[in-house]
Structures are given as structure tokens and as C-alpha cells.
Amino acid sequence: TQTVSQSDAHVTVFEGDSVELRCNYSYGGSIYLSWYIQHHGRGLQFLLKYYSGNPVVQGVNGFEAEFSKSDSSFHLRKASVHWSDSAVYFCAASPSNMGYKLTFGTGTSLLVDP
Amino acid sequence: EAAVTQSPRNKVTVTGGNVTLSCRQTNSHNYMYWYRQDTGHGLRLIHYSYGAGNLQIGDVPDGYKATRTTQEDFFLLLELASPSQTSLYFCASSHRARDTQYFGPGTRLLVL
């Protein structure tokens, strides 16, 4: 079964800390990867994406993610979090051999203590 | 920014009931999607469409029909609702395949 895995269901950090949210996938071949954020009671909003080229991609609000083919990972990072970053973060993948369907991970809930 | 609206925002029905969830996007996107969100499962794709009159099956289509009447409007139909369909439903749109998806605010459905 081809999957997107987010191993941490919950992460808690203090404001100003750095954070890394992990995403691993099990697809082979070329792949399109993205991260979305969902604030409480809202729809998902796009953060960043990777398809090819520089494995480190920059997103909105200081987020970045790094693609690693050897580790089958696309981890999301932020150097200094703000309380407003508290939300659920979803990793998503669309392998090139699966048409246009985007498969989401189960999400990581980030809580930033002020 | 793309605007995706959904209606109703909340819906309660009984088992066996007939429910229609509506989605409209106003940015002339070609692709539209219906997802359901459940704790422990993340978002799962029900159906999607790449244009008016087109329908593609997603990953969890059983019990759901969908229809794309215009480029703007995409409907999700539950003709015999069951308690297992109690969920938070999101509509999304994108200009092209694998482009950024823009999500609506969601519809919370409760099937008693």
C-alpha cells in the first residue's frame, strides 16, 4: 500500500522554538509533495510544494521543507514559531503514476505555548 | 486568492435520508474535489472532476455520487445516508492537476 505517513500526531513547543514536523512517503518514482495548514474550524491552506529541483523549498510565514529521496521524506521546519502557528499540518503526495489524486497524511497537531 | 464556498455549513439528517452538499468556486479552476475528514484518517478523496460534466472516482467513493454541473459548481450527493457518513466534508479546487488546491470552509454532516 502506498502511503503518506506523519508519525507525530501531536507536537508541543514554546514560542520562539524551532520545530520539525515529519512526513514520509512510500511511493516509488517521481512524486509531487506539499504541505497544508488547517487552523481550527477552517479549511486547509497551502504552505509549500516540491516537484523537482532544489530539495529545500520555501513557503509562507517562514516555513520550509526539505525533500530527501534516500529517506523518502519531506519534513517541514520553522526556525522560530509563533503562537499563531498552532494548527494541524498535513503532508500530501501525488505520485506521477497515480493520476492527479492527492493523498494526505493523517496530520500533525502543533501547539505553540506562548 | 481563490474563493471556494460550501453550503450548508452544518447538516443533520437521519439514516436513509437524502443529502446534497454544494460547492462553488469563482476562480475558473478546472479541477474540483470532494474530501471527507475524519480523525485518524486525515483527508480522503471521494470524487473529483476536471470540468463540467466530468466525474472521476476517488479513494472512498462508496455511498456517494457527485455531479459537476458547471465549471463553478460541484455537488456531492448522499442518496441513502448512513451514520458512517457522519464527517466533515471539504470541497477544493485547482487550476490544473497537482496545482495548489484551494479549500472551502467545510460542511459538518451528522447522520443520526
Side-chain angles (χ1 to χ4, degrees):
Chain A
T1 302
Q2 298 172 320
T3 61
V4 177
S5 174
Q6 294 181 247
S7 54
D8 298 315
H10 301 278
V11 173
T12 301
V13 296
F14 289 102
E15 196 167 37
D17 285 351
S18 63
V19 70
E20 179 177 85
L21 305 182
R22 293 180 291 197
C23 174
N24 291 88
Y25 61 91
S26 63
Y27 305 103
S30 60
I31 190 166
Y32 168 94
L33 294 156
S34 53
W35 277 95
Y36 285 78
I37 181 174
Q38 183 182 31
H39 289 285
H40 181 69
R42 307 281 297 275
L44 279 71
Q45 292 179 286
F46 172 79
L47 274 181
L48 47 76
K49 65 183 177 184
Y50 170 83
Y51 185 64
S52 63
N54 189 335
V56 179
V57 292
Q58 305 295 322
V60 298
N61 294 334
F63 286 96
E64 68 173 30
E66 183 167 5
F67 169 72
S68 171
K69 187 173 182 178
S70 60
D71 293 340
S72 297
S73 68
F74 189 56
H75 301 331
L76 181 70
R77 301 189 295 245
K78 187 169 183 178
S80 178
V81 294
H82 186 262
W83 64 266
S84 61
D85 293 324
S86 295
V88 181
Y89 292 79
F90 290 95
C91 180
S94 178
S96 60
N97 63 350
M98 288 182 65
Y100 306 127
K101 294 189 294 185
L102 201 59
T103 299
F104 286 84
T106 53
T108 296
S109 177
L110 175 65
L111 177 62
V112 180
D113 280 336
Chain B
E1 185 173 324
V4 182
T5 57
Q6 295 182 234
S7 62
R9 294 295 311 278
N10 294 280
K11 177 72 176 179
V12 180
T13 190
V14 296
T15 298
N18 194 322
V19 177
T20 298
L21 306 184
S22 302
C23 176
R24 166 165 283 200
Q25 54 94 5
T26 59
N27 266 36
S28 301
H29 284 171
N30 295 312
Y31 286 80
M32 296 185 74
Y33 314 82
W34 277 108
Y35 295 92
R36 60 177 290 172
Q37 183 178 24
D38 305 286
T39 303
H41 291 280
L43 274 78
R44 293 180 289 175
L45 182 65
I46 303 170
H47 291 299
Y48 66 105
S49 165
Y50 54 74
N54 175 264
L55 182 65
Q56 302 294 315
I57 294 173
D59 297 320
V60 290
D62 292 346
Y64 300 96
K65 293 184 179 180
T67 180
R68 179 90 176 267
T69 55
T70 65
Q71 187 171 25
E72 294 79 19
D73 298 301
F74 195 29
F75 300 93
L76 186 67
L77 313 172
L78 291 73
E79 294 183 332
L80 289 171
S82 74
S84 65
Q85 294 175 307
T86 291
S87 188
L88 180 57
Y89 291 87
F90 285 102
C91 176
S93 72
S94 67
H95 180 53
R96 296 170 297 188
R98 299 199 182 94
D99 273 358
T100 298
Q101 292 190 16
Y102 293 87
F103 284 79
T107 293
R108 191 169 294 278
L109 175 66
L110 173 62
V111 183
L112 299 173

